[in-house]
Amino acid sequence: MAAALLMVLAVAWPARAELKIDITRGTVEPMPIAITDFYGERLEEGQFGIDIATVVSNDLERSGLFKPIDSRAFIQTGESLNSLPRFGDWRVINAQALVQGRTQTMPDGRLKVEFRLWDVFAEQQMVGLAYFTVPKNWRRVAHIIADAIYKRITGEDGYFDTRIVYIAESGKQDRRIKRLAIMDQDGEGHRFLTDGSSLVLTPRFSPTQQEITYLSYHGNLPRVYIFHIDSGRQEVLGEFPGMTYAPRFSPDGKTVIMSAAKDGNSEIYTMDLGTRALKKLTNHSAIDTSPSFSPNGERVVFNSDRGGTQQLYIMDADGNGVTRISHGQGRYATPVWSPRGDLIAFTKMYRGQFYIGVMRTDGSGERLLAEDFLVEAPTWAPNGRVLMFFRKEPTKKDGSGGRSRLFSVDLTGQNEREVITPIDASDPAWSPLIP
Amino acid sequence: MRLKLISMVVAFAFVAACETAPEQSAASSGTGASTSSTSSTTTSSSTTSSATVAPQPQGPQAGSQEDLVVNVGDRVFFGFDKYNLTGEARSVLEKQAAWLKRYPSVTVMIEGHADERGTREYNLGLGDRRANSVKDYLVALGISPGRIKTISYGKERPVALGSNEQAWAQNRRGVTTVTRAAGS
């Protein structure tokens, strides 16, 4: 897939610094941006142009940082845009940024997609790129373009060319059917990966391979598995006397860290995926679980009740130097290290409510981003600026209610959005940017 | 096969009893199955599902899951985020141990469960702890560990529906399920 997608042209003038969104600020006024239908000479090319512009527009809108302008307000459209924008026409409708592009079917059947991002007030091109792809990959090209625009204006990497793996849920609350499912970050390209015959939980993406690690109750033996996305092959990870669970890949993708339970005691282990060598990191009668590596692979944050209640601890990757980092009120769980390395996302339980929050790696600076009857399982977008989690409603006595859905929220706590799934959803995991 | 069907019916009836037991005194007259109405449910379903077969003796098959549920008690309950056995739980398990000694060929699986007021992964660990608390006590009472397996379901398999204290109390449980019945 990646080979089919080739970037050939990168034209970027050194532009002035005026047009920029500082996404580290708490509240950001979304930037008005005009995203025009990409021009295609032939009918089919024009349709690709419309579809690509729509995906770009939706990506940028959902980020909360951009406010795409209604295309009915556009004065200049079509082919004339291709030569040079009439900036006055765009200033009139208060567009600060303008995106225009062109789609062309090449003689070999590939699709060429070009776009340019303009600073309307400076009348300067900020970025211009062209891509060749097999036509069926048009959607990915659109996400890559949205990432390029996001990066040019915010200075941060984008997260639109990514996927989400999660647990699709159906059926009664006491007989829930759970399936692995995967979709693009915007909910498109949805498919189920397992058939629901075995209970599956807590999927996580490999940072380097098209693989997912997760927990399956196949054969009534709860064990950590690896799912190979391209082949559909499922592989149990190691032989253990009891349950293995809470798996997560190391940042280099070469190791899985997880809990293994024996005689009622859960400890944290790593397994080298090449040699299958096993290493025990914790040695305590407490429940030690939910391990997550720091991005440099040198440390691990995990959940333990060794102090009496669930709290967050950090240790070196060899298991030494265990230090408690959570000191607020309530119980803390599901720690996940930010891809930027500076923050830990967590689930917090306090006085009958659940929260999604972040804290620094020394436990300071706690901020809560979402609160409800049940919110759980934060996962980071690869740029470390957005989190996804699930929210479950209370269940009524007759078994109704109990809906479970996915949401994203900015690190600032702003811009919470539902991530639409075909059926109920839980345990989301964000992929890295697709290579 | 027929026995298996019966035990499933009984298990379901017991679940229904759990769900409605704590309250609804007026509404429960029709559905709130007591132990005696549970066995009558079983008897009627066994006769309807096998009209051509000779009638079975009343009551559950000795050494079966149904026997355990009706005459001993198949489950114990835990406090919030706890895995220690209460006095009540120990007395149920003492009866289970005596029953297991009576039927030495029976093997069991202990399921450990948690309520929904915890996070998924921690609750898997907690369910594992609870199942092993039950197993350890049965072993201490003289049951061979080789007859007992454990599994944790965390918060994945509630038996009582509803996001309320009564349902959560019923879901924090260790359930003994017969994996090989006596005489099978």
Side-chain angles (χ1 to χ4, degrees):
Chain A
M1 195 177 200
L5 193 69
L6 184 67
M7 191 177 79
V8 292
L9 178 72
V11 213
W13 277 262
R16 307 165 315 144
E18 277 88 347
L19 197 59
K20 181 165 172 42
I21 297 175
D22 180 3
I23 61 178
T24 60
R25 282 168 47 211
T27 322
V28 175
E29 189 66 25
M31 176 185 285
I33 186 169
I35 299 161
T36 62
D37 291 342
F38 289 17
Y39 175 72
E41 209 159 283
R42 308 212 317 259
L43 188 64
E44 174 193 297
E45 293 167 339
Q47 191 57 50
F48 276 123
I50 292 167
D51 293 343
I52 288 170
T54 302
V55 170
V56 171
S57 177
N58 289 344
D59 277 351
L60 294 176
E61 194 281 327
R62 269 197 321 280
S63 77
L65 302 177
F66 297 88
K67 187 179 165 206
I69 295 168
D70 189 333
S71 62
R72 284 171 299 190
F74 295 172
I75 299 162
Q76 185 186 19
T77 54
E79 196 178 3
S80 72
L81 253 172
N82 251 327
S83 37
L84 193 70
R86 293 192 302 267
F87 293 105
D89 286 2
W90 298 101
R91 278 194 292 267
V92 165
I93 61 169
N94 196 33
Q96 291 186 38
L98 168 68
V99 178
Q100 48 102 186
R102 180 184 160 111
T103 53
Q104 258 179 298
T105 308
M106 307 309 286
D108 63 5
R110 287 183 306 163
L111 187 68
K112 181 186 181 188
V113 183
E114 307 165 68
F115 85 97
R116 288 171 204 276
L117 169 68
W118 299 91
D119 179 335
V120 170
F121 287 83
E123 303 194 359
Q124 275 185 341
Q125 180 177 304
M126 296 180 76
V127 61
L129 294 164
Y131 305 88
F132 288 99
T133 179
V134 291
K136 72 178 172 67
N137 277 354
W138 67 269
R139 201 172 268 286
R140 271 204 68 195
V141 172
H143 291 311
I144 289 167
I145 290 171
D147 280 332
I149 295 167
Y150 181 98
K151 182 167 189 176
R152 187 64 188 80
I153 292 183
T154 67
E156 305 274 346
D157 283 332
Y159 55 91
F160 303 119
D161 186 28
T162 54
R163 293 196 283 180
I164 308 295
V165 63
Y166 73 98
I167 297 298
E169 302 190 4
S170 56
K172 285 190 63 187
Q173 296 292 340
D174 57 353
R175 281 281 172 271
R176 211 68 164 145
I177 294 163
K178 297 197 172 190
R179 296 196 267 175
L180 275 184
I182 194 168
M183 62 187 182
D184 295 347
Q185 140 288 133
D186 60 354
E188 294 292 332
H190 186 279
R191 66 189 170 107
F192 296 106
L193 298 180
T194 61
D195 62 7
S197 57
S198 298
L199 177 64
V200 289
L201 303 169
T202 63
R204 278 90 194 228
F205 267 106
S206 163
T208 54
Q209 304 286 321
Q210 289 297 301
E211 291 172 357
I212 295 160
T213 185
Y214 64 107
L215 170 61
S216 171
Y217 276 69
H218 178 72
N220 227 19
L221 292 170
R223 295 290 186 273
V224 168
Y225 282 73
I226 289 190
F227 190 99
H228 302 267
I229 299 174
D230 293 335
S231 66
R233 193 162 60 86
Q234 297 168 57
E235 173 195 1
V236 69
L237 208 55
E239 285 176 31
F240 292 86
M243 171 174 66
T244 50
Y245 65 110
R248 214 176 266 281
F249 285 96
S250 61
D252 64 6
K254 292 177 177 165
T255 301
V256 166
I257 191 165
M258 61 187 157
S259 285
K262 188 172 182 295
D263 303 328
N265 182 28
S266 294
E267 302 286 11
I268 293 171
Y269 291 80
T270 54
M271 175 173 274
D272 183 306
L273 294 174
T275 64
R276 300 285 155 145
L278 202 61
K279 203 161 82 183
K280 186 178 177 187
L281 299 191
T282 57
N283 189 12
H284 199 285
S285 59
I287 294 176
D288 293 322
T289 191
S290 302
S292 169
F293 273 107
S294 64
N296 63 11
E298 290 173 3
R299 293 196 289 169
V300 173
V301 63
F302 66 102
N303 195 201
S304 177
D305 68 342
R306 59 184 62 198
T309 61
Q310 280 172 275
Q311 298 294 338
L312 307 185
Y313 293 79
I314 283 180
M315 62 184 167
D316 297 339
D318 61 4
N320 289 320
V322 175
T323 312
R324 176 171 163 177
I325 62 161
S326 59
H327 295 284
Q329 288 177 300
R331 297 178 292 147
Y332 292 79
T334 78
V336 193
W337 214 302
S338 154
R340 306 165 71 93
D342 54 345
L343 295 171
I344 308 285
F346 56 81
T347 306
K348 170 175 171 146
M349 293 152 279
Y350 181 57
R351 291 191 171 168
Q353 286 285 93
F354 279 57
Y355 303 82
I356 300 294
V358 293
M359 61 174 66
R360 292 194 200 97
T361 57
D362 63 0
S364 66
E366 174 176 322
R367 286 190 296 119
L368 301 176
L369 311 179
E371 171 191 357
D372 220 313
F373 166 74
L374 176 52
V375 286
E376 188 179 338
T379 178
W380 291 95
N383 72 354
R385 288 289 174 196
V386 184
L387 288 151
M388 198 177 291
F389 58 95
F390 76 90
R391 170 181 271 127
K392 188 171 165 66
E393 300 167 354
T395 305
K396 299 200 182 79
K397 280 181 190 138
D398 63 2
S400 65
R403 279 201 68 195
S404 186
R405 292 177 291 164
L406 306 185
F407 293 84
S408 64
V409 66
D410 287 3
L411 189 51
T412 58
Q414 306 287 319
N415 192 40
E416 186 181 302
R417 304 279 180 120
E418 183 178 354
V419 180
I420 304 291
T421 49
I423 55 176
D424 274 18
S426 61
D427 293 2
W430 217 312
S431 81
L433 280 171
I434 300 173
Chain B
M1 183 63 215
R2 206 168 66 81
L3 276 173
K4 196 173 176 185
L5 177 70
I6 293 166
S7 69
M8 280 169 61
V9 170
V10 172
F12 182 78
F14 187 83
V15 169
C18 283
E19 282 175 42
T20 53
E23 48 184 345
Q24 299 171 333
S25 53
S28 66
S29 56
T31 54
S34 67
T35 307
S36 58
S37 72
T38 300
S39 20
S40 71
T41 307
T42 311
T43 315
S44 66
S45 76
S46 68
T47 45
T48 50
S49 67
S50 56
T52 56
V53 181
Q56 293 288 302
Q58 290 288 314
Q61 181 78 27
S64 66
Q65 178 77 36
E66 180 193 6
D67 184 20
L68 179 68
V69 170
V70 173
N71 296 318
V72 179
D74 69 336
R75 63 195 61 198
V76 298
F77 301 101
F78 296 90
F80 176 72
D81 199 13
K82 296 284 193 296
Y83 62 104
N84 59 302
L85 298 169
T86 62
E88 198 180 331
R90 280 199 298 274
S91 107
V92 170
L93 296 179
E94 281 151 19
K95 281 191 261 174
Q96 283 189 10
W99 183 83
L100 285 165
K101 283 176 184 165
R102 203 174 326 140
Y103 304 107
S105 66
V106 167
T107 59
V108 293
M109 171 85 85
I110 315 289
E111 300 175 358
H113 297 271
D115 66 26
E116 65 179 342
R117 301 315 282 157
T119 44
R120 194 178 315 287
E121 289 176 342
Y122 179 83
N123 275 4
L124 288 170
L126 183 58
D128 181 68
R129 264 183 176 171
R130 286 173 175 165
N132 278 280
S133 283
V134 170
K135 176 180 175 178
D136 290 349
Y137 197 58
L138 292 175
V139 170
L141 293 169
I143 307 304
S144 160
R147 296 171 64 190
I148 308 171
K149 285 191 160 65
T150 59
I151 188 168
S152 171
Y153 285 101
K155 60 177 174 178
E156 305 307 317
R157 289 285 178 263
V159 68
L161 298 177
S163 296
N164 58 70
E165 292 291 347
Q166 286 125 338
W168 297 331
Q170 288 176 54
N171 290 332
R172 295 190 293 263
R173 69 201 192 278
V175 181
T176 304
T177 59
V178 173
T179 45
R180 191 177 70 207
S184 63

